Amino acid sequence: MKHESQTQDDAAEAQNFSRRNLLRLVGGGAGLLAVAGSGALTWRAADNGVFAEGSGPAYEPWNLPAPTGRADLVRAAILAANAHNTQPWIFRVEDSYIDLFADSGRTIGTIDPLLREQQISLGCALENLMIAAPALGLQAIAELVPDSADPGHIAHIELRESSAAASPLLKAIPVRHTDRAAYRTDQAVPRQTLDRYRRAAEDDAVSLVWLSEPEVRQAFGDITVRATEAIIADPDQAADDYRWYRSDWNDIQTLRDGVTIDASGQSAFIRGAAKILPTTQQQNHDGWLRGTRDTQVSTAAAFGAIMVADGHDVAARLSAGRTFQRLHLMATGDGLAMQPLCQVLERVDREESAGLDDVFNRELADLLPGAGKAIMTFRIGYPTVAAPPSPRRAVEEVLLTAAP
């Protein structure tokens, strides 16, 4: 059930959308639909998946089977969280091992110029694979970045026969989804839950810092909104970001990647309208900024920062990805929602790669003094709606060889 404030927000959005688009509908060619009658509108709505959210071949991988063969470990891996849903992974599957490689063609350009987000995404996939292996009666032992001459060779995973023992996190893999919608503002995440997640995150390479006090939350939210504005104002970053958005039904089913309008966190009305009425890059980014400012930072119960000693170390990035994936699976099992919220870090990487003044790097460091280097940030809270799935490529598309 929606909160009263959500219902009011949806109504306001509908009114604003109607006013913004009335003239464009009549004068921009879409008036042809009105002449043809409501049937044409219904046809375009159906053609763009307005009535079929989360269905079709692009979503079939979420029907994760119980592991019966090596390829099923990859089926679990590809359901991992990953930046902009680029799915930047390739797997070589053999009887005694699996190799994980980065797909160099699936990057976000200036959004991720140092490949930080790609490598974190690969760590997320690795964690899913490691969690799924025991259910198949296998002990998985991962060696990170095993070939210094090939930085794209992310991990070598030895598979050894062992007794079957399903991880309690396994059942969360096919139901974990990034939730970009509003979180409940009347229900705080208990401190003992945050502390449990912090302890679960700690190892030799990674730690977790919570930004949970109101003043610190406000400060991080403000920086995130300004970083979003800076990305939108940067022509290269804006274009590279927009390239991974998907609103057309046929594109979703063909490409099977990217951030869809259904998973954007917008209201049902706006999601449906965006599928019927083509939107520009600027309109898309206006919605992103509005959602970041008015929904995502304002309703977060807390923000988390995954910290490492060296933000450029590939193994540390992979470990951070494994940590985030594990935390997200734990949160899913606890009925909590999570969403990566990394605009500040995307601007930090842009500042470094382009030789810009390190404004965002300094501001973020001021919020996290003496805690290492922030490598990933996210929000957490109790959901108000069920988060929809994102499209996934078929496992056959990411295998170098067929599994035995």
Side-chain angles (χ1 to χ4, degrees):
M1 179 178 294
K2 287 188 175 182
H3 291 225
E4 181 180 356
S5 60
Q6 282 184 278
T7 304
Q8 293 171 344
D9 288 346
D10 287 354
E13 278 190 293
Q15 184 180 41
N16 290 337
F17 186 91
S18 177
R19 289 172 178 170
R20 285 196 308 271
N21 288 281
L22 179 60
L23 293 177
R24 185 164 63 86
L25 276 169
V26 174
L32 294 173
L33 293 177
V35 173
S38 62
L41 283 170
T42 302
W43 172 82
R44 178 161 173 79
D47 189 55
N48 280 295
V50 173
F51 309 121
E53 295 183 1
S55 63
Y59 298 93
E60 289 175 359
W62 289 100
N63 298 316
L64 183 66
T68 59
R70 300 324 194 236
D72 289 330
L73 302 184
V74 177
R75 294 181 201 281
I78 65 174
L79 300 183
N82 64 102
H84 280 57
N85 197 23
T86 54
Q87 303 171 50
W89 39 63
I90 300 173
F91 299 85
R92 178 168 60 209
V93 179
E94 301 293 347
D95 187 60
S96 62
Y97 68 88
I98 295 176
D99 282 319
L100 171 59
F101 299 90
D103 186 337
S104 61
R106 305 186 73 81
T107 68
I108 328 174
T110 56
I111 290 289
D112 188 29
L114 306 179
L115 300 182
R116 174 187 53 81
E117 293 190 344
Q118 183 188 81
Q119 290 159 2
I120 289 173
S121 300
L122 291 163
C124 292
L126 175 61
E127 183 66 10
N128 267 12
L129 190 153
M130 302 291 285
I131 288 170
L136 195 57
L138 296 170
Q139 180 188 16
I141 303 171
E143 179 185 2
L144 303 182
V145 200
D147 184 355
S148 59
D150 182 7
H153 188 182
I154 295 300
H156 176 77
I157 305 102
E158 288 286 335
L159 301 174
R160 301 177 184 175
E161 297 294 332
S162 182
S163 56
S167 165
L169 297 180
L170 179 63
K171 63 182 180 181
I173 288 177
V175 294
R176 179 219 61 83
H177 305 299
T178 297
D179 190 341
R180 298 178 177 86
Y183 297 167
R184 294 181 65 103
T185 56
D186 59 350
Q187 187 174 7
V189 179
R191 170 50 61 179
Q192 58 265 36
T193 299
L194 297 180
D195 288 343
R196 177 163 56 89
Y197 291 175
R198 178 181 51 77
R199 291 191 297 271
E202 290 179 349
D203 62 24
D204 292 339
V206 175
S207 63
L208 173 63
V209 174
W210 288 114
L211 305 174
S212 56
E213 296 303 319
E215 183 176 330
V216 181
R217 286 206 322 267
Q218 180 68 49
F220 181 79
D222 290 345
I223 297 172
T224 298
V225 170
R226 287 192 284 106
T228 306
E229 292 171 335
I231 291 172
I232 293 170
D234 183 320
D236 292 332
Q237 280 202 303
D240 287 338
D241 173 80
Y242 184 66
R243 185 164 59 91
W244 288 95
Y245 281 95
R246 309 281 183 253
S247 60
D248 182 83
W249 173 256
N250 291 326
D251 284 348
I252 292 170
Q253 299 302 327
T254 302
L255 300 174
R256 300 175 67 147
D257 61 14
V259 179
T260 68
I261 188 65
D262 289 333
S264 67
Q266 303 277 2
S267 70
F269 178 87
I270 294 299
R271 295 197 310 271
K275 296 176 188 178
I276 297 172
L277 305 169
T279 57
T280 65
Q281 176 177 308
Q282 186 59 53
Q283 290 168 330
N284 180 283
H285 281 151
D286 287 346
W288 177 34
L289 176 59
R290 185 171 58 251
T292 300
R293 181 189 62 229
D294 300 340
T295 297
Q296 293 166 4
V297 303
S298 63
T299 67
F303 299 107
I306 296 177
M307 314 295 293
V308 298
D310 180 359
H312 293 90
D313 182 72
V314 177
R317 292 174 174 184
L318 296 172
S319 295
R322 293 189 63 182
T323 295
F324 176 76
Q325 184 67 20
R326 185 165 63 254
L327 291 174
H328 202 171
L329 293 173
M330 292 174 62
T332 298
D334 291 338
L336 285 160
M338 285 175 57
Q339 177 201 356
L341 208 63
C342 296
Q343 292 96 308
V344 177
L345 289 169
E346 287 166 351
R347 282 307 295 180
V348 169
D349 289 350
R350 178 64 162 159
E351 289 170 349
E352 179 178 341
S353 64
L356 305 175
D357 186 14
D358 61 343
V359 174
F360 287 99
N361 182 45
R362 292 196 304 269
E363 292 195 31
L364 186 59
D366 287 343
L367 278 179
L368 299 162
K373 178 72 173 180
I375 196 170
M376 183 176 183
T377 48
F378 61 93
R379 69 180 183 127
I380 189 170
Y382 285 96
T384 59
V385 296
S390 296
R392 284 294 189 276
R393 294 183 294 155
V395 69
E396 292 78 12
E397 294 182 48
V398 301
L399 290 178
L400 286 178
T401 62

